[in-house]
Amino acid sequence: MSKASSGTLYRGHEGMWSWVGHRVTGVVIFLFLLVHVLDTSLVRVSPGAYDAVMSTYKNPLMALGETALVAAIVFHAFNGLRLILVDFWKSGTKYHRQMLWGVLALWVITMVAFSIRHLSIAFGGH
Amino acid sequence: MSADIAAPRSQRLDPKYVRARKSRGSFEMIAWLFMRLSGVALIVLIFGHLFANLMLGEGITGINFGFVAGKWADPVWMFWDLAMLWLAMLHGTNGVRTIINDYAEKPVTRVWLKGILYVATIVIVVLGTLVIFTFDPCIPGSTLSVCQ
């Protein structure tokens, strides 16, 4: 970190990085949401059109992408709850760092469980 | 003994420096509150959506036209998906609006980016809502009881 920024309590610390993470995951999720409504809309075109696009999601390479997407969603969800506690709980600003480590711990646990199930289905080839 | 000292910024500034003049009322406060309320609802809706579609049964390999038909035969899942669509789109649109306000500095850029954003939001919300309500599970040769 440069000397010029060493005087700030915010820049380069947990608060800034959780803010960056929340923004980046938010944009990624929003872009997928636009695509996801469009792909689901194919049920009104024909069953064949919908099934053809869904089959691309069942590709093992796409399963890794889906896992990354769920990782973004789960981080955004847990960090969002942390933001609500920072805003509404009177000790929220005092414990915002500890809550970020809690968010990351819950995120790892959730993603291990999700990945085991989702990737074993996607790579299982049944 | 007591000197009358005006509170900071009380009517002492040239009006051209008063930033609060063009007040947008309580819109930003309502938007801030909406992000927190819809966020909590979306955690329940999206975690439920992901668990039902990717964790239960055959997971992603089981998702096809018949899977959608089975879910939307139940009004609970129709309402679930409708609420998820509207709340997620409004939550996401407001988030991207905030990002545009932060990074786009020229007024013309801001207007264009927000215009594109709002048009996309309206198209996706209207399309998704129509799909949920006009969905027809009856394809030729269907064995579903509702199609007999």
Side-chain angles (χ1 to χ4, degrees), chain A:
Chain A
M1 196 165 59
S2 72
K3 273 197 160 159
S5 65
S6 62
T8 169
L9 290 168
Y10 182 75
R11 194 171 164 193
H13 294 282
E14 292 90 338
M16 186 194 91
W17 289 114
S18 67
W19 172 83
V20 170
H22 208 73
R23 282 215 154 170
V24 172
T25 54
V27 171
V28 168
I29 296 162
F30 186 68
L31 292 175
F32 173 74
L33 175 60
L34 301 179
V35 174
H36 190 45
V37 174
L38 293 175
D39 68 51
T40 304
S41 299
L42 291 173
V43 295
R44 287 299 289 129
V45 176
S46 76
Y50 181 75
D51 291 351
V53 171
M54 283 306 110
S55 70
T56 64
Y57 281 113
K58 296 169 190 174
N59 178 314
L61 206 60
M62 285 294 276
L64 295 175
E66 289 141 25
T67 306
L69 176 73
V70 171
I73 292 169
V74 172
F75 173 78
H76 199 86
F78 291 162
N79 192 55
L81 290 176
R82 171 178 160 274
L83 286 179
I84 292 171
L85 287 171
V86 168
D87 284 347
F88 290 105
W89 175 38
K90 71 174 159 49
S91 305
T93 49
K94 190 178 169 189
Y95 295 112
H96 80 94
R97 266 187 205 86
Q98 288 90 330
M99 288 196 290
L100 181 61
W101 298 119
V103 163
L104 293 175
L106 285 175
W107 177 71
V108 169
I109 293 166
T110 310
M111 287 316 297
V112 166
F114 176 85
S115 304
I116 289 171
R117 176 80 178 134
H118 185 61
L119 296 178
S120 67
I121 291 170
F123 286 87
H126 63 105

Side-chain angles (χ1 to χ4, degrees), chain B residues 2-145:
Chain B
S2 62
D4 191 13
I5 301 170
R9 299 189 179 181
S10 54
Q11 311 299 315
R12 292 183 295 119
L13 292 172
D14 186 309
K16 73 174 179 241
Y17 297 121
V18 178
R19 285 193 289 185
R21 215 170 10 144
K22 281 182 282 177
S23 169
R24 297 185 66 190
S26 57
F27 176 79
E28 291 298 343
M29 196 274 274
I30 290 166
W32 172 87
L33 189 62
F34 172 78
M35 292 308 265
R36 276 128 192 93
L37 295 175
S38 62
V40 172
L42 282 165
I43 290 174
V44 176
L45 291 168
I46 293 174
F47 278 34
H49 175 73
L50 290 171
F51 196 79
N53 292 18
L54 298 182
M55 300 286 99
L56 296 179
E58 299 164 65
I60 195 158
T61 56
I63 297 179
N64 54 30
F65 184 84
F67 178 85
V68 178
K71 268 187 110 180
W72 284 348
D74 184 347
V76 171
W77 279 119
M78 283 178 75
F79 178 76
W80 190 289
D81 288 355
L82 186 73
M84 197 161 56
L85 170 73
W86 280 74
L87 290 177
M89 282 303 296
L90 291 176
H91 187 102
T93 300
N94 191 50
V96 175
R97 181 185 71 90
T98 305
I99 292 173
I100 293 170
N101 281 339
D102 277 358
Y103 300 117
E105 291 176 13
K106 285 194 290 182
V108 65
T109 314
R110 293 159 74 96
V111 167
W112 269 102
L113 288 177
K114 285 191 226 175
I116 294 166
L117 172 68
Y118 298 152
V119 168
T121 300
I122 291 166
V123 168
I124 293 291
V125 168
V126 170
L127 175 70
T129 304
L130 286 174
V131 167
I132 292 171
F133 284 115
T134 67
F135 178 70
D136 178 12
C138 299
I139 53 171
S142 173
T143 53
L144 292 172
S145 59

